[in-house]
Amino acid sequence: MSSVGLLATPPLRGATACLADALQKGHVYRREDLARLSKAVDRHVQELLRVGKLQKLAQGLYHAPKPSNFGALPPTDNEVVKGFLRDNDFLVFSPSSYNTVGLGTTQLYNRTWVYNHKRHGVFKLGNRQFDFRVKPRFPKKLTPEFLYIDLLNNLDELAEDRDAVLHQARTKLNSFDSTRFQQALDNYGNMATRKRVREWVGG
């Protein structure tokens, strides 16, 4: 194939090259993070986007792609959310995780929920959509007790047989460690879930 007409990407020079060298591959940056490393951040960001050293996720949010044998790797959900929120206090998961609790749920969901203290709403970041939900409390990582309680909290949103799930949930209630379960119920259960569980225990 003739190379006539093919334009090579000119190498980065000066301050733009310095900014590129300062980027941590795989990391997500906000514009203000980059502005601390550049005196002409908007121009330099445009140059880095042009050569693929940065990828735009949303307005003011960028990813420094990490190369692999199969092309540039996408950022992890945690990196994206951390950059978007400017915070480390959040929990990212899919409602498909409820299927691990053993309550008969089988649906697979193409959704990513983010429990956090700052933002509420659905935001497109890169080629993914994240459903941010403000919650007063949530664990650092998923546990069976949390998933059980949170499933009951959100049952009306799920494409499941509601009565069948509630029957399974009541049957499985005594399989949990009572102390850990009560702590999860107190910390994460909404009023309806707390009332339902009290009725099951009392019944």
Side-chain angles (χ1 to χ4, degrees):
M1 178 183 296
S2 172
S3 62
V4 176
L6 295 180
L7 299 177
T9 301
L12 297 175
R13 300 181 183 280
T16 309
C18 290
L19 177 57
D21 290 340
L23 297 176
Q24 180 181 338
K25 291 181 175 60
H27 195 66
V28 172
Y29 294 90
R30 296 190 69 90
R31 181 187 178 281
E32 54 262 38
D33 301 326
L34 300 172
R36 287 192 281 268
L37 304 171
S38 167
K39 294 182 178 179
V41 62
D42 294 322
R43 176 166 59 83
H44 292 156
V45 164
Q46 289 305 311
E47 293 179 14
L48 294 178
L49 289 171
R50 176 175 52 81
V51 300
K53 293 291 186 180
L54 282 177
Q55 295 176 347
K56 186 174 181 178
L57 299 176
Q59 185 64 37
L61 192 67
Y62 304 93
H63 169 233
K66 185 175 183 178
S68 76
N69 293 334
F70 305 100
L73 297 175
T76 65
D77 287 350
N78 275 12
E79 279 288 339
V80 173
V81 171
K82 182 169 67 173
F84 180 72
L85 289 176
R86 286 176 285 187
D87 192 3
N88 289 309
D89 193 7
F90 57 82
L91 178 68
V92 180
F93 71 106
S94 165
S96 301
S97 301
Y98 295 142
N99 297 344
T100 65
V101 186
L103 302 188
T105 58
T106 58
Q107 297 291 326
L108 297 178
Y109 298 89
N110 187 26
R111 304 186 214 165
T112 302
W113 290 352
V114 183
Y115 287 3
N116 72 103
H117 300 302
K118 290 185 172 183
R119 302 297 295 268
H120 185 82
V122 177
F123 296 88
K124 185 176 182 182
L125 305 175
N127 60 358
R128 299 279 310 282
Q129 283 195 334
F130 294 84
D131 186 345
F132 286 78
R133 300 179 174 210
V134 172
K135 299 286 183 179
R137 290 175 298 277
F138 43 84
K140 292 293 185 182
K141 61 181 181 179
L142 299 176
T143 67
E145 293 82 9
F146 166 77
L147 286 170
Y148 178 103
I149 298 300
D150 204 60
L151 168 57
L152 295 181
N153 289 346
N154 295 309
L155 186 54
D156 289 342
E157 289 191 55
L158 305 177
E160 305 286 353
D161 184 328
R162 187 174 184 276
D163 291 338
V165 171
L166 290 174
H167 175 75
Q168 285 289 102
R170 184 169 187 174
T171 301
K172 193 176 176 64
L173 187 60
N174 293 327
S175 67
F176 292 97
D177 175 87
S178 59
T179 300
R180 289 200 300 267
F181 182 85
Q182 189 61 50
Q183 288 175 343
L185 181 63
D186 292 342
N187 288 332
Y188 313 123
N190 61 26
M191 291 183 62
T193 296
R194 294 183 193 185
K195 179 181 179 182
R196 176 174 284 120
V197 171
R198 283 197 304 266
E199 290 173 350
W200 288 345
V201 172

